[in-house]
Amino acid sequence: MTPADILTLFDDLTSQLVDRLDSLADWGWSGGRSDQYQHDVVADDLFVPQLVAAGLRVLTEESGLSGSATSRWLSILSTDRPTRRRVCRGTPPACVRLTLTGRS
């Protein structure tokens, strides 16, 4: 998978996430952990399986490290703390951070 392929995948997943978050009725706590919101779980459930299926290793706060240790690429998915503050105030988050790092 080339960096361009990964960016295309990120773009596709981001569009899917926007659609899912547009229909999310409950922006509160997930009930899974004391610091976990519903949108955290929605993003994790969408991104992790598809990134792993594409051959990436994925690190998230919600599910830890997933994917093959031999993968050349690592994707890190997180929601920013400022975003969480906005959710607490009843304003949907503006961003989810996707980071890609490679190794030679």
Side-chain angles (χ1 to χ4, degrees), residues 18-29 38-39 42 87 90 92:
V18 168
D19 291 342
R20 289 187 184 192
L21 293 180
D22 279 347
S23 63
L24 186 63
D26 180 2
W27 287 87
W29 298 109
Q38 293 290 346
H39 72 279
V42 169
V87 170

Side-chain angles (χ1 to χ4, degrees), residues 2-3 8 15 21 47 56 59 64 67 76-78 97 101:
T2 68
T8 299
S15 294
L21 293 180
F47 280 90
L56 279 69
L59 178 63
I76 303 168
L77 171 69
S78 66
R97 181 182 302 161
T101 183

